[in-house]
Amino acid sequence: MSSSPLQIEAKKLAALYARWLRLPEDALFHGGRGPVMKMYEALKSAKGKDDIKSILDLSKYEMEKQTFNDLTRLVNEILNRIQNMNDSDAVAFTLEVFRYFQIALATKIEDVKKGYWA
């Protein structure tokens, strides 16, 4: 099964920001379920760009300051990219970014444990 250009773009974005995120454990697991997991869950019921903007309002989530700063950059990038998309593409793209972002962060955590990341 081939990926759509939208999926490929979402994967690239997720991988890039996962590399930059300094505290992957905080983003995924802060207080059990971190902001990234909570946003992904909420995005599953998003209907359009207004829902996405509301869900990606980072002030609603608990996290470390560094994580807040790193996720702010990702959220701004997503909002910028979906600006000219229709609602259904915007939701699909954002969901895809967060799905791959979680995978990339979990992989990074494992790689750090194995000593692949300094």
Side-chain angles (χ1 to χ4, degrees):
M1 186 166 106
S2 68
S3 295
S4 74
L6 211 59
Q7 285 175 309
I8 293 166
E9 213 39 53
K11 285 180 189 179
K12 283 183 192 171
L13 193 65
L16 175 67
Y17 282 88
R19 276 198 303 275
W20 287 349
L21 196 109
R22 292 168 283 185
L23 301 170
E25 291 92 349
D26 184 54
L28 283 177
F29 307 118
H30 185 100
R33 292 175 57 73
V36 172
M37 293 173 99
K38 289 177 181 174
M39 285 185 268
Y40 179 65
E41 282 305 311
L43 285 165
K44 290 178 183 178
S45 62
K47 301 285 184 257
K49 290 190 257 190
D50 289 338
D51 292 344
I52 293 169
K53 285 178 186 144
S54 171
I55 292 164
L56 298 185
D57 173 2
L58 296 177
S59 66
K60 294 195 230 175
Y61 306 96
E62 294 272 324
M63 67 192 95
E64 299 292 326
K65 180 110 181 89
Q66 276 186 319
T67 303
F68 182 88
N69 292 339
D70 293 345
L71 288 179
T72 297
R73 288 192 275 284
L74 172 63
V75 166
N76 288 339
E77 183 71 29
I78 290 169
L79 295 176
N80 210 10
R81 300 259 182 125
I82 66 171
Q83 216 169 359
N84 298 321
M85 292 181 189
N86 65 42
D87 281 346
S88 67
D89 282 351
V91 170
F93 177 77
T94 308
L95 262 173
E96 204 70 2
V97 169
F98 271 85
R99 184 168 49 179
Y100 287 106
F101 192 55
Q102 289 179 95
I103 293 166
L105 289 177
T107 303
K108 183 176 182 177
I109 291 168
E110 283 307 305
D111 288 351
V112 167
K113 286 179 184 168
K114 291 176 186 167
Y116 299 144
W117 281 73

